[in-house]
């Protein structure tokens, strides 16, 4: 295994899967002849005759080729020639996409949610005193574990990157802290700028004196402190020196602030407040966002929705609708997808996009919500989220429509390297279903 945690496709595994006749392995027969050319170094690869969903202004290209060299996309078009020694993958018309955005998750920050020693996405320094402690300088990317077993589980399903989110807890504040984009390639470091997370509405009531009005009061005070209108030594000051410096960066346009908020009334106040302070914001949740679609479009605020939010599960989402994404996009809002608390099920994010399409969102916008939209929103559009010359060769070849859960990822490439399509889940599956894995039997052999 190389330093990024990626292995070349195992010919033995490929052969075994192919002989078992699994639908996932339909393409493996085409890969078997060339899989030996994979190595630790970046390879030249030509993926030929694919339906290439570029997630760019080029749109989708039928019977197109993608040439990869030294870890990046070199060319996209028809009739491309393979350089000497390049591996050629015959896609046979199947869909090829960029690796997908897994949503705002805690992958690598949470291994077992019920075991506190494996959970790192919240800070609660004031928990014992029952006082709010505001630490915007808290950066969860420092706790990211590139060896998390959740990473291969998501990656073999076509999820190539995620935004690490920050949670709130008693002893913390509505200003949760900073996260960042992590590629699920086994590397330890985030890419792109940091993102600040703020929680509004009902989920922030316990951190704001049980009043939504107090949330705006707190935010205004924090801005006054960061701007120097409240002295650092004032008895009511909430920020540390590092906190003031961090918050000031975002106030000066140096990063995106993601607000977790659902209720239309709260979103309306957020738009007014962010316009007054000239902030770059995004919304996560947005259960009732469709009610302010024209205002969100005018303010150029991207919204990351859960298209399965339909029934009024709480008083912040009385107006929830499965047509939320379609209505927002029709008004000109950039729409992405995320599901709260989905670290162990990030692979299901494409099901969210598929449901949004079923509820009226154009298919191309469904794919954009898993590729281009989050890449642009979080400052990594030059690296991931598209198939274009110069972009990282993070690619997925699918058995069929990637927004249809009846289809699967046949092969994933990260930086042009084919990853082994194996995770703890597939190993458990094989151990229970097959006796030729080299692992101890899960159950005693049946008596004969």
């Amino acid at each position: 295994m190389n330093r990024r945690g990626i292995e070349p496709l195992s010919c033995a595994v490929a052969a075994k899967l192919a002989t078992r006749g699994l639908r996932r392995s339909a393409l493996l027969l085409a890969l078997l002849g060339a899989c030996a050319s994979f190595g630790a170094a970046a390879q030249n690869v030509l993926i030929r005759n694919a339906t290439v969903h570029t997630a760019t202004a080029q749109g989708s290209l039928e019977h197109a080729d993608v040439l990869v060299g030294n870890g990046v996309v070199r060319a996209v078009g028809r009739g491309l020639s393979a350089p000497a020694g390049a591996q050629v993958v015959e896609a046979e018309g199947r869909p090829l996409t960029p690796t997908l955005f897994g949503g705002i998750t805690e992958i690598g920050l949470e291994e077992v949610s019920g075991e506190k020693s494996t959970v790192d996405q919240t800070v609660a320094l004031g928990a014992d005193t029952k006082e709010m402690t505001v630490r915007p300088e808290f950066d969860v990317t420092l706790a990211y574990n590139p060896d998390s077993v959740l990473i291969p589980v998501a990656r073999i399903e076509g999820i190539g990157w995620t935004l690490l989110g920050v949670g709130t807890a008693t002893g913390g504040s509505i200003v949760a802290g900073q996260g960042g984009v992590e590629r699920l390639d086994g590397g330890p470091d985030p890419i792109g700028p940091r993102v600040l997370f703020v929680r509004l509405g009902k989920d922030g009531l316990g951190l704001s004196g049980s009043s939504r009005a107090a949330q705006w009061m707190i935010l205004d005070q924090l801005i006054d402190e960061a701007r120097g209108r409240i002295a650092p030594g004032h008895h009511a000051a909430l920020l540390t020196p590092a906190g003031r410096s961090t918050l000031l960066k975002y106030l000066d346009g140096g990063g995106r602030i993601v607000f977790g908020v659902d209720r239309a009334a709260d979103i309306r106040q957020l738009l007014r407040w962010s316009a007054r302070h000239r902030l770059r914001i995004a919304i996560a949740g947005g259960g009732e966002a469709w009610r302010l679609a024209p205002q969100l479009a005018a303010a150029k605020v991207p919204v990351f929705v859960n298209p399965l939010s339909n029934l009024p599960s709480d008083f912040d989402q009385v107006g929830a609708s499965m047509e939320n994404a379609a209505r927002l996009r029709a008004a000109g809002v950039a729409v992405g997808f995320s599901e709260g608390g989905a670290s162990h099920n990030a692979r299901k994010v494409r099901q969210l996009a598929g449901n949004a399409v079923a509820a009226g969102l154009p298919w191309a916008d469904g794919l954009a919500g898993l590729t281009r939209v989050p890449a642009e929103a979080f400052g990594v559009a030059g690296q991931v989220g598209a198939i274009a010359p110069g972009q990282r060769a993070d690619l997925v070849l699918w058995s069929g429509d990637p927004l249809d859960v009846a289809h699967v990822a046949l092969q994933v490439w990260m930086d042009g390297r084919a990853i082994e399509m194996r995770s703890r889940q597939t190993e458990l599956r094989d151990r229970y279903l097959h006796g030729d894995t080299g692992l101890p039997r899960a159950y005693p052999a049946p008596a004969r």
Side-chain angles (χ1 to χ4, degrees):
M1 182 173 290
N2 62 41
R3 63 183 179 86
R4 287 189 172 275
I6 300 173
E7 295 177 334
L9 180 69
S10 164
C11 292
V13 172
K16 184 179 293 186
L17 291 174
T19 57
R20 287 174 183 163
L22 298 178
R23 294 298 300 166
R24 168 184 290 281
S25 302
L27 185 67
L28 290 178
L29 294 176
L31 292 173
L32 282 169
C35 68
S37 68
F38 284 104
Q43 297 290 320
N44 292 326
V45 181
L46 178 64
I47 303 172
R48 192 157 55 192
N49 188 25
T51 300
V52 182
H53 300 293
T54 67
T56 70
Q58 277 194 295
S60 298
L61 308 174
E62 295 186 357
H63 308 296
D65 309 331
V66 174
L67 179 62
V68 173
N70 295 322
V72 301
V73 175
R74 295 300 182 187
V76 180
R78 295 185 178 91
L80 299 181
S81 298
Q87 182 214 1
V88 178
V89 175
E90 298 290 348
E92 301 177 349
R94 295 182 178 88
L96 184 75
T97 70
T99 55
L100 305 183
F101 174 60
I104 302 170
T105 72
E106 293 79 43
I107 292 176
L109 301 175
E110 174 187 85
E111 204 70 22
V112 180
S113 57
E115 174 52 55
K116 291 184 179 181
S117 65
T118 71
V119 178
D120 292 302
Q121 71 266 30
T122 60
V123 61
L125 296 177
D128 293 335
T129 63
K130 307 297 183 183
E131 294 181 359
M132 180 176 64
T133 302
V134 186
R135 300 300 293 266
E137 66 269 36
F138 174 58
D139 183 351
V140 296
T141 67
L142 300 176
Y144 177 70
N145 176 18
D147 298 318
S148 169
V149 298
L150 302 187
I151 291 174
V153 171
R155 192 171 57 196
I156 67 170
E157 300 286 351
I159 306 301
W161 55 291
T162 185
L163 175 62
L164 299 183
V166 190
T168 56
T170 301
S173 79
I174 59 174
V175 181
Q178 302 175 91
V181 172
E182 290 280 1
R183 293 174 64 241
L184 305 184
D185 65 337
D189 300 320
I191 61 173
R194 297 295 187 272
V195 176
L196 184 66
F197 288 86
V198 179
R199 187 68 212 182
L200 299 177
K202 69 175 182 62
D203 289 342
L205 291 178
L207 302 171
S208 58
S210 300
S211 172
R212 297 168 195 268
Q215 294 171 0
W216 304 110
M217 176 187 74
I218 292 167
L219 290 174
D220 282 339
Q221 176 180 332
L222 295 176
I223 289 179
D224 285 342
E225 288 188 40
R227 293 293 189 194
R229 293 188 287 266
I230 296 177
H234 192 279
H235 71 276
L238 296 171
L239 293 171
T240 66
R244 287 193 297 274
S245 176
T246 297
L247 186 57
L248 189 60
K249 177 187 73 173
Y250 290 95
L251 297 181
D252 289 341
R256 179 84 66 176
I257 308 176
V258 174
F259 287 83
V261 60
D262 286 303
R263 197 169 76 166
D266 296 330
I267 295 173
R268 185 179 296 109
Q269 292 295 342
L270 172 60
L271 290 173
R272 293 172 177 171
W273 182 82
S274 62
R276 185 164 69 251
H277 295 290
R278 300 180 181 180
L279 303 178
R280 295 176 57 233
I281 70 169
I283 288 175
E288 295 187 344
W290 64 269
R291 297 180 60 185
L292 290 103
Q295 297 94 316
L296 288 163
K300 298 182 180 179
V301 175
V303 180
F304 292 83
V305 303
N306 178 355
L308 297 183
S309 293
N310 184 25
L311 299 176
S313 57
D314 56 56
F315 284 101
D316 277 22
Q317 300 187 66
V318 173
S321 169
M322 290 189 73
E323 297 179 359
N324 193 8
R327 294 175 183 177
L328 286 167
R329 188 69 197 111
V333 178
V335 177
F337 304 103
S338 186
E339 182 182 9
S343 300
H344 294 80
N345 293 293
R347 63 194 183 279
K348 294 183 179 179
V349 71
R350 65 189 183 97
Q351 180 180 1
L352 300 184
N355 275 271
V357 170
L361 183 71
W363 189 93
D365 289 315
L367 180 65
L370 296 175
T371 53
R372 175 179 53 80
V373 169
E376 292 177 348
F378 303 128
V380 292
Q383 301 188 59
V384 296
I387 301 177
Q391 291 270 12
R392 288 181 180 271
D394 292 358
L395 307 169
V396 190
L397 191 61
W398 302 89
S399 66
D401 184 350
L403 305 188
D404 183 344
V405 295
H407 298 288
V408 297
L410 296 171
Q411 184 61 60
V412 177
W413 290 266
M414 302 290 289
D415 282 331
R417 299 180 180 90
I419 68 160
E420 192 166 17
M421 303 295 283
R422 184 178 68 186
S423 73
R424 185 171 186 271
Q425 290 186 345
T426 64
E427 290 174 351
L428 287 171
R429 175 202 66 195
D430 292 343
R431 181 179 180 183
Y432 278 75
L433 291 180
H434 308 289
D436 56 349
T437 62
L439 295 171
R441 290 190 61 87
Y443 296 108
R448 296 185 181 278

